[in-house]
Amino acid sequence: VQVADDKMQSVTSTPYTVYKADCWKFLQLAHQQGDSYDIVVLDPPSMAPRAQARSDAIKAYISLNVGALKILRPGGLLITCSCSSHITRKDLAEIVNLASLEAGR
């Protein structure tokens, strides 16, 4: 979080806030409060440390991205990451696509 804050300070004078939080709770609360953001970064811990966890991880990633898209302003930037070795770039692209359909975006 400090690295992100330092980089933002070096490129903009526009006011901003960096949050470090449990993403599930944060996304739910932000949506309930009607909050919206220009940029949402999702960088969860590995959700598929084993191949057997892949299916459940994909469901979790979809849910997480739906939550992010619900609070992302139109024209905003979603940065979603996966450090799970069993989730490929192709998987992640499909996850975001499915999440956008589910979120109506």
Side-chain angles (χ1 to χ4, degrees):
V1 173
Q2 187 60 49
V3 171
D5 189 41
D6 291 345
K7 291 208 182 262
M8 286 295 295
Q9 287 181 25
S10 71
V11 298
T12 187
S13 60
T14 303
Y16 66 90
T17 304
V18 175
Y19 296 94
K20 179 182 178 184
D22 176 297
C23 54
W24 302 101
K25 291 177 185 175
F26 181 86
L27 294 171
Q28 182 180 30
L29 183 61
H31 181 65
Q32 288 172 349
Q33 294 176 342
D35 295 340
S36 61
Y37 300 90
D38 294 314
I39 302 171
V40 177
V41 179
L42 300 176
D43 190 12
S46 177
M47 291 196 257
R50 295 173 304 287
Q52 298 85 348
R54 186 175 182 280
S55 180
D56 288 341
I58 287 173
K59 292 174 190 169
Y61 279 117
I62 292 170
S63 175
L64 186 61
N65 280 275
V66 167
L69 288 164
K70 286 182 177 179
I71 65 167
L72 184 66
R73 288 188 182 123
L77 177 64
L78 171 64
I79 300 170
T80 187
C81 306
S82 170
C83 63
S84 300
S85 62
H86 300 286
I87 303 296
T88 66
R89 287 182 185 190
K90 183 178 177 183
D91 292 334
L92 196 55
E94 183 64 17
I95 285 164
V96 173
N97 184 52
L98 290 170
S100 67
L101 293 172
E102 190 173 325
R105 298 288 302 262

